[in-house]
Amino acid sequence: MKELICLTLLLGIVSLGVAQKEQMKSTPQVEKSALRSSLQSMIDTELAFARMSAEQGTRPAFMSFIADDGILFRPRAVKGKQWMTEHPVPSSYKRPLLSWYPAAADIALAGDMGYTTGPWEFKADIHDPKPVAFGNFLTVWKKQRDGSWKFAIDLGISNPQPNQAAAPWQQPNNYGPMRGGGIGPGVKEATKALLARDREFSTSSATRGAQKAFEDYAASEVRLFRNGKQPIVGKADAVAALPASPTVWSWEPVFADVSHSGDLGYSYGTYKLTINDGTLKTNAVETGNYYRIWEKQLNAWKVVADLLDPVPEDKKN
């Protein structure tokens, strides 16, 4: 999303109980100190990513930090590295600047997958006095075989300039997530379970309404990302911002992935909003991409970040 914003604008100008603690003991995970180190390493990689964007340009930074199978949205999901190779940035006398920093982050108990989110801003030229666009990003990172971090998927939203800048992320002194991972099934089985959970969520949303379904499937600390609005944090405010009847929100997952500890994962796919007028006919009012982060809480997958990316009719193909 960060690289897409740059190109597009340039061209167009806690305590969970003893049972859960016992579950965590049976879950593949790293020691607390090592987990903190892995989290900091992931954050340092995000900062290096942003620094390279400022110093060398957004496209070189994305080519360096995206995983070989990493996903971008152009406008639908594509293999990002291949897409960027096939679509070079047009030459320009301007040097655009996309800058960002992480304001929130978390990592799986295995230390192999995590996510970052925070604000971005864009200048059409690095010498311009003020940014011309603002937004927030949501990025999933995966540790590679050589121990480095590469991002697996990146997308975000545009929003008005915030009244106050978000505080940069800092690791809490007592960091150590208290949540249960998967017991027994491997990554493949856990991924199937997450996809099934996502589809159940869609069915619940379509039949019971988006707000009621979100109350059941979202974590209390969920973050909601919608274009034109600042990120909404917390279940109550997020539910209130969702479409109410007769708007029907449904989706179809395309892909999911889960950490080796089975406690953190993500999914993405396509969604649609339709109006049910009480007849057999429904009218689609919006379609696009969705992308969400999930955490295992009390042995159930819960949404901790939910992002919609509308795709205009003339850009669907």
Side-chain angles (χ1 to χ4, degrees):
M1 176 65 182
K2 308 183 191 87
E3 198 271 352
L4 175 58
I5 290 295
C6 184
L7 179 58
T8 301
L9 290 172
L10 178 60
L11 293 175
I13 194 101
V14 196
S15 172
L16 299 180
V18 175
Q20 185 176 4
K21 292 181 180 179
E22 290 301 317
Q23 181 185 39
M24 290 174 64
K25 293 177 182 178
S26 302
T27 302
Q29 56 186 281
V30 297
E31 294 295 328
K32 188 173 182 178
S33 60
L35 190 64
R36 289 171 57 88
S37 178
S38 292
L39 177 57
Q40 188 61 56
S41 174
M42 183 183 74
I43 293 296
D44 290 344
T45 302
E46 178 74 82
L47 294 173
F49 182 19
R51 186 165 56 249
M52 185 175 182
S53 175
E55 294 174 352
Q56 300 184 34
T58 308
R59 180 59 66 88
F62 267 70
M63 288 296 291
S64 294
F65 286 89
I66 191 171
D68 289 342
D69 58 351
I71 295 297
L72 299 174
F73 293 82
R74 299 294 186 269
R76 297 299 191 186
V78 297
K79 294 294 180 64
K81 186 166 287 189
Q82 177 182 342
W83 187 93
M84 288 186 288
T85 300
E86 295 173 351
H87 297 79
V89 177
S91 60
S92 172
Y93 66 92
K94 292 186 176 182
R95 161 73 160 83
L97 173 63
L98 182 69
S99 57
W100 68 88
Y101 61 87
D106 204 358
I107 196 170
L109 292 171
D112 63 333
M113 178 187 288
Y115 69 91
T116 54
T117 182
W120 60 261
E121 59 182 42
F122 175 80
K123 291 183 178 181
D125 187 83
I126 194 170
H127 301 296
D128 290 348
K130 295 182 179 180
V132 295
F134 304 85
N136 276 264
F137 67 88
L138 182 62
T139 304
V140 170
W141 295 87
K142 290 187 69 175
K143 186 170 286 188
Q144 307 299 297
R145 291 184 177 181
D146 63 0
S148 66
W149 289 95
K150 299 287 186 180
F151 75 82
I153 183 171
D154 177 85
L155 187 57
I157 60 169
S158 298
N159 51 248
Q161 181 176 5
N163 295 326
Q164 183 175 353
W169 183 88
Q170 290 186 332
Q171 186 166 165
N173 292 330
N174 61 345
Y175 178 80
M178 291 291 293
R179 58 176 182 262
I183 296 178
V187 172
K188 187 174 181 179
E189 290 75 15
T191 300
K192 289 181 179 179
L194 180 55
L195 281 170
R197 176 75 167 171
D198 204 358
R199 291 191 178 97
E200 290 171 3
F201 183 16
S202 178
T203 300
S204 179
S205 176
T207 56
R208 300 172 57 233
Q211 295 180 337
K212 289 182 179 179
F214 206 80
E215 286 180 346
D216 291 341
Y217 286 81
S220 60
E221 69 277 18
V222 66
R223 293 173 182 267
L224 193 74
F225 298 84
R226 297 295 187 268
N227 277 321
K229 299 179 180 179
Q230 303 295 340
I232 300 169
V233 182
K235 186 189 290 189
D237 289 339
V239 167
L242 291 173
S245 181
T247 303
V248 178
W249 177 31
S250 61
W251 55 87
E252 178 58 38
V254 172
F255 181 84
D257 195 12
V258 174
S259 65
H260 282 82
S261 46
D263 65 308
L264 185 70
Y266 68 93
S267 61
Y268 69 84
T270 59
Y271 78 91
K272 62 181 178 180
L273 296 175
T274 58
I275 299 296
N276 187 344
D277 59 5
T279 69
L280 295 178
K281 294 183 178 180
T282 57
N283 300 311
V285 294
E286 181 180 292
T287 61
N289 309 301
Y290 81 89
Y291 160 40
R292 55 181 58 112
I293 313 292
W294 299 79
E295 284 186 1
K296 184 72 73 65
Q297 299 183 357
L298 292 176
N299 207 35
W301 285 110
K302 295 287 186 177
V303 178
V304 294
D306 185 275
L307 186 154
L308 293 190
D309 172 43
V311 177
E313 192 69 32
D314 60 348
K315 294 185 178 180
K316 289 181 181 179
N317 296 321

